[in-house]
Amino acid sequence: MGDITEWDVEDEEFWETTGKKVATRNLWISIPSLLCGFAVWLYWSIITVQMLNLGFPFEQAELFTITAIAGFTGATFRIPNSFFVRIAGGRNTIFLTTALLMIPAAGTGFALLDQDTPLWVFQLLAFLSGFGGGNFASSMSNISFFYPKKMQGLALGLNAGLGNAGVTTMQLLIPLVMTKAIFGGGSMVLEQTSGTLIGKIEAGTETWIHNAGFVWLVFLIPLAFLGYFFMNNIRAEHVSPNIGGQFSSFGKILGMLAVACIPSIVALYVFLPEPTGLGAPSWSKWPLIGFTLWFTVFLLKQIPGEIKPNLERQYKIFGHKHTWIMSVIYTMTFGSFIGYSAGFALAIKVIFGFKHIEVDGVLTHDTANPDGPSALTFAWMGPFIGAFIRPIGGWLADRVGGARVTHWVSIVMTGSALGVAYFMREAYRSETPQDFFVPFFLLFLLLFAASGIGNGSTFRTIAIVFDKEQAGPVLGWTSAVAAYGAFVVPQEFGSQINNATPEYALIAFAAFYLICVGINWWYYLGPKAEYQNP
């Protein structure tokens, strides 16, 4: 499809005669591409559970670390992705960022063929899986330019919500494809009972874990083709006026991603435990995230040539106070959704799959619980609800206002998190943790649902508060900040589980949600609000 030079979707006649058809085509290619991005980014949350079931020679904390690395780089890669559309064009961006996912997908498949594959290989592949997390920022920015403001909530909700469904798709598909020799290769035997949507898989059963990586190539190859031949670059002044040729655009994208690798490598080296890194204390994750955000933005601005003036124009969003306000609020909603999605399965496995008993006078939590729920059978339900309810959040926000929806969402999230914390504590200290699973699980589903609705409502607020040119980069930037939830939540779960106090993580998250209630009310609902219920 050719580039588009005239684009004004706020003109009703243009929208009905031309814009709607073009926008719809681009949206329905964007959604499955983004879905695969989420799947490849977060498939470690399921793969690590199965690695534990198969007896891979890694500690539980090391497996949480693999998931956290993918979360960290996925968030960092969203920073350059926030600015790709103006610099390289939407079609060029979606094609290349989708094609790049083939690297970690194929690499993961080969690495999982052998249990003797060293930890650093899985950590490197998790690092590269961050490409899938970064895609969200460019995808949302791109789709925001195709739709008029009155339809932003629903359009962005569909792209994000069905794209977020990549988490659920991955959680359902991977356990199933592991049961068959689809791509050849040797099988491994389960040491602990596993599960799929259709039931438990008993210990001693053969499984083909490498399918978890290879299966995504089946989707990524045709999606890259569709993106290349059927999507559009909008070359209007307010979108991508000076992108040059496609190979020049590809070079800009790859160069900016390479630059974003540098802060991630530095921060992860400082944070990861020895021998991989320096083993900085848990509290250091907060200054390291701040450092990574600042350093990435700084390094991108140093790139010479035409990228620099383009970025300087888009960097004006950092002088707008609502960029920072919405970054905090969106961290509450999307940061929670993506963080819990990354850590939910392994948390179920560790908390309910082992008993808290006394052995030789010492309390331990490493005796397998045969009556525990299968993490792979249940974990998909939370992300499923959170993803598919997101368009409803956008639709509802279009009608009653984004800030009002966000207000009630944040209250529900506070109460749900405290409830989850209580039942998590009781389960972790019990010889029969399965007794507490149902209330724990139902409250977690409520937490996912609330975060999903809030994801839709916050993006509607951004679309109203910012003008057309700024809204795209702000959508990308806020999603980058919030995506660090995929690093913080698994890391926090792992840290608190090591301290035998997993409930502390949820209590801290609840306190943050309560702060967000106040911020949202002060700036968007209260009598002194600059924007009333945007």
Side-chain angles (χ1 to χ4, degrees):
M1 310 303 283
D3 292 350
I4 298 172
T5 55
E6 299 293 331
W7 191 254
D8 184 10
V9 291
E10 300 300 339
D11 182 302
E12 190 69 28
E13 182 180 355
F14 176 86
W15 171 249
E16 291 296 333
T17 58
T18 303
K20 183 186 293 186
K21 180 180 179 180
V22 174
T24 301
R25 184 182 65 248
N26 279 268
L27 176 63
W28 290 107
I29 298 174
S30 174
I31 287 172
S33 299
L34 184 56
L35 184 150
C36 285
F38 269 92
V40 172
W41 181 27
L42 294 180
Y43 58 26
W44 296 105
S45 65
I46 296 299
I47 292 173
T48 51
V49 172
Q50 201 74 334
M51 290 169 73
L52 189 61
N53 289 332
L54 287 166
F56 274 70
F58 305 123
E59 301 294 329
Q60 292 177 2
E62 291 175 327
L63 296 177
F64 271 111
T65 297
I66 292 172
T67 304
I69 289 172
F72 192 92
T73 57
T76 306
F77 288 147
R78 287 190 177 192
I79 300 173
N81 267 269
S82 301
F83 309 108
F84 283 168
V85 173
R86 184 168 185 86
I87 292 171
R91 169 241 186 203
N92 297 338
T93 296
I94 303 305
F95 161 72
L96 185 58
T97 54
T98 300
L100 284 173
L101 296 173
M102 299 178 198
I103 299 172
T108 298
F110 286 114
L112 289 171
L113 284 168
D114 186 359
Q115 286 197 9
D116 292 328
T117 301
L119 178 64
W120 70 264
V121 173
F122 291 109
Q123 291 174 331
L124 175 60
L125 289 166
F127 188 100
L128 296 176
S129 293
F131 289 146
N135 291 3
F136 181 83
S138 53
S139 179
M140 294 298 284
S141 176
N142 185 48
I143 291 303
S144 73
F145 293 119
F146 279 96
Y147 284 86
K149 281 196 172 187
K150 67 180 181 180
M151 298 183 65
Q152 290 276 309
L154 180 59
L156 293 173
L158 284 170
N159 191 54
L162 298 181
N164 290 170
V167 182
T168 300
T169 303
M170 168 272 296
Q171 291 177 330
L172 293 175
L173 182 61
I174 287 178
L176 287 174
V177 299
M178 287 181 184
T179 63
K180 301 293 182 181
I182 300 172
F183 300 100
S187 64
M188 300 180 188
V189 178
L190 288 170
E191 294 184 1
Q192 298 184 40
T193 298
S194 181
T196 72
L197 179 63
I198 58 177
K200 286 190 174 182
I201 303 175
E202 298 299 329
T205 304
E206 284 187 297
T207 189
W208 289 263
I209 189 173
H210 54 276
N211 292 349
F214 291 139
V215 69
W216 300 106
L217 298 175
V218 176
F219 307 105
L220 290 169
I221 293 171
L223 280 170
F225 176 89
L226 288 173
Y228 187 85
F229 287 103
F230 294 100
M231 293 190 78
N232 300 98
N233 297 314
I234 301 176
R235 304 192 69 151
E237 177 60 31
H238 68 286
V239 186
S240 311
N242 302 304
I243 60 175
Q246 66 178 19
F247 291 108
S248 172
S249 296
F250 295 159
K252 294 171 189 174
I253 292 171
L254 293 173
M256 292 174 71
L257 285 173
V259 167
C261 286
I262 299 171
S264 294
I265 292 170
V266 172
L268 288 170
Y269 177 70
V270 171
F271 187 78
L272 291 178
E274 297 178 345
T276 305
L278 299 179
S282 179
W283 59 263
S284 68
K285 62 179 173 288
W286 303 111
L288 284 172
I289 289 173
F291 161 80
T292 303
L293 287 166
W294 170 83
F295 196 30
T296 304
V297 170
F298 172 79
L299 288 179
L300 290 173
K301 195 174 180 180
Q302 308 313 307
I303 298 176
E306 59 188 84
I307 290 178
K308 186 170 184 176
N310 254 309
L311 285 178
E312 287 176 344
R313 179 167 177 167
Q314 296 184 78
Y315 277 10
K316 291 178 182 178
I317 64 172
F318 298 130
H320 200 312
K321 70 179 180 181
H322 290 278
T323 299
W324 305 103
I325 295 165
M326 290 310 304
S327 294
V328 173
I329 294 174
Y330 192 57
T331 296
M332 172 188 67
T333 58
F334 183 77
S336 298
F337 167 80
I338 205 64
Y340 295 144
S341 296
F344 193 34
L346 198 52
I348 292 174
K349 175 66 179 178
V350 172
I351 293 170
F352 295 94
F354 297 88
K355 298 180 179 181
H356 192 75
I357 62 174
E358 184 175 322
V359 177
D360 297 330
V362 179
L363 291 173
T364 67
H365 192 80
D366 54 11
T367 300
N369 177 22
D371 299 316
S374 167
L376 301 187
T377 301
F378 292 97
W380 66 272
M381 298 181 191
F384 175 86
I385 291 173
F388 282 97
I389 207 170
R390 180 169 184 157
I392 297 176
W395 173 85
L396 188 62
D398 283 340
R399 280 149 183 78
V400 303
R404 184 173 291 127
V405 175
T406 302
H407 175 75
W408 290 108
V409 158
S410 54
I411 292 174
V412 171
M413 290 179 68
T414 303
S416 301
L418 291 174
V420 169
Y422 172 77
F423 290 108
M424 185 181 284
R425 183 191 66 181
E426 295 301 304
Y428 199 77
R429 289 163 171 74
S430 174
E431 292 186 26
T432 56
Q434 67 274 8
D435 294 345
F436 303 95
F437 179 71
V438 171
F440 162 89
F441 184 65
L442 292 177
L443 283 168
F444 232 128
L445 293 187
L446 181 59
L447 192 52
F448 270 107
S451 69
I453 293 172
N455 286 337
S457 65
T458 49
F459 265 24
R460 195 268 185 181
T461 298
I462 291 171
I464 299 300
V465 169
F466 295 89
D467 64 35
K468 194 70 175 177
E469 182 177 338
Q470 288 188 324
V474 172
L475 288 171
W477 171 260
T478 56
S479 74
V481 176
Y484 282 103
F487 166 71
V488 170
V489 173
Q491 192 280 326
E492 195 65 27
F493 273 151
S495 176
Q496 294 301 334
I497 284 172
N498 277 347
N499 296 333
T501 55
E503 70 277 9
Y504 284 7
L506 270 297
I507 292 172
F509 299 149
F512 173 62
Y513 302 155
L514 195 58
I515 292 171
C516 289
V517 173
I519 293 173
N520 183 68
W521 181 87
W522 179 263
Y523 286 102
Y524 302 118
L525 290 175
K528 296 183 179 180
E530 184 177 343
Y531 299 90
Q532 276 294 332
N533 192 28

